[in-house]
Amino acid sequence: MKKILFLLIGILISSSIIGQTHPDWIKKSVFYQIYPSSFQDNDANGIGDLKGIESRLDYIQSLGINAVWLNPVFKSAFQDGGYDVIDFYQVDPRFGTNTDLVELVNQIHKRGMHLVLDLVAGHSSNQNEWFKQSMQADTNLRYSNYYIWAPYKPNDLSEQEASRWVEANAPRGKYYIKNFYDIQPALNFGYAKPNPKHPWEQPVDAPGPQAVKNELKNIITFWLEKGVDGFRVDLAASLIKNDPDKSATIALWKELNGWFDKKFPNGVLIAEWFNPKQSIEGGFDIDFLQPGHLFSPFQRGQKVPAKVYFDKAGEGELIKWYNDYKDQYESTLNKGYISLPTGNHDSPRIADSSRNDVNQLKVAMTFLLTLPGVPFIYYGDEIGMKYIPGSPDVEGSRTRSGTRTPMQWDDSKNAGFTLAETKKIYIPQDPDPNRPTVAKEDKDPNSQLNYVRKLLTLRASSTALGNDGEWKFISDPAKPYPMIYMRSKGSERYLILINPSGSKVKAELSSINTKKAIYVFGTSEKCVYKIGKGTDMITLPAVSAAIYKIE
Ligand code: NOJ
């Protein structure tokens, strides 16, 4: 009897530790992020579309990918690349129709894959009918309180707060609050602590914020009922205003995620919050770590420390990344998934003018695709497409256009992206005659593309290397080269060794308890692993990565 009681208590404790539920499929998921305007054009107008994406599903699947995230595809004014939505219930004609989207979902499901869309939860376009109605003097209209209107701008605002006030001189009010660009008025989810002297600061339970919350549920339901598997939620941390510790925003998401999990137990919600500690507490399944911000090596061209970790100079630091990563990993363990993506539509790519030899890219990919949590590959990173500096500012992209250049498929006109005239292409492609392409790399067994495929095959074959495998840092983060960590599950153990520097490096490892170290994958068979009594010795050639199975 006692035994049964202990067992029951054990089960109860472990299920409350595991706590949050996730659909089974994300445990083995590997995502591919597609910027729809830049992936594949089917109707020869120079801009990518849904039919184009559909025509490339076999390729996507050939990578070992089983889930796709599309940047926004809804009707938009395209002054921020689709993140300025005019109609949340309608696919933009440039991408196709709602029927085309359903067809794409069906094709994706047929392959056992999943599709996630982008939900711009915090704002709309200023051309959205909701906003146009809320501008009217009459405050009793359906959408009157969907936005935040104020008659004057208080002079005690912080610089950051003040930057969100847009002067509109509308019948409804002189100012509205925006979220990002001026054309993106913030939706009104209310204020965490409304200031009674500021009547525009409505509490979260006021009718306006409640109606906006319900609208969000309607949008989610509309698309999930069409077969879509979930959303990546844009600026998820931004919804409730004056919420410095994010407690009200976390509470709002807890409620929304609770509702979502019940209604769509097979769906996922992914936060763009860049702070999994908070977003996972809010019930999200996955959150990103900034490819640049938390791991400064990838932040070239922005505010970066001069010394980059993933650089042949071998002068970068690891300690800050390590501390941040470890903290996020440990805080979210068994609750939700973290993801350090290979890149995204807002950040520079891994490959650029100085980090572009194939070994460097393979080393970076070995690192990114052997971390715990859910991998996200940004389209084109698998072939080493480069960030193209100086790309023209298109639809509010600013310097982000360098990372959104169209996919390079083959050596035909426009690299197989479109049959349109080259001058009509959405963003000019990499002008390098030797630019990487899928066709070239497909044929080359040593290409980055085939390396990524093999890495993902290895990852899929092992629970230790998979999304739920444990992660433990083995090398001393204060001695950055090489970086060594272990992935394990039960008795299965792998050591990952990463040396982005241009010099051969050695490391001593103690307490691994190694009987056998088998080289299973990497950039060079020249890595040496010597098992010693208590201490193992590792030697890695310049710019190399290796994965050892440890027994
Ligand atoms: C984050 C998105 O990733 C970015 O592309 C967009 O400009 C802003 N949110 C505003 O929606």
Side-chain angles (χ1 to χ4, degrees), residues 80 83 123 180 184 232 234-235 272 345-346 400 404:
D80 181 19
Y83 284 93
H123 51 269
F180 196 64
Q184 289 161 313
R232 171 266 194 191
D234 185 66
L235 294 182
E272 187 214 29
H345 60 292
D346 293 329
R400 299 175 295 182
R404 300 176 183 181

Side-chain angles (χ1 to χ4, degrees), residues 153 157-166 178 180 182:
K153 185 172 175 179
L157 296 173
S158 70
E159 207 183 308
Q160 207 217 353
E161 279 172 322
S163 71
R164 294 197 184 276
W165 287 61
V166 181
K178 69 165 175 175
F180 196 64
D182 287 3

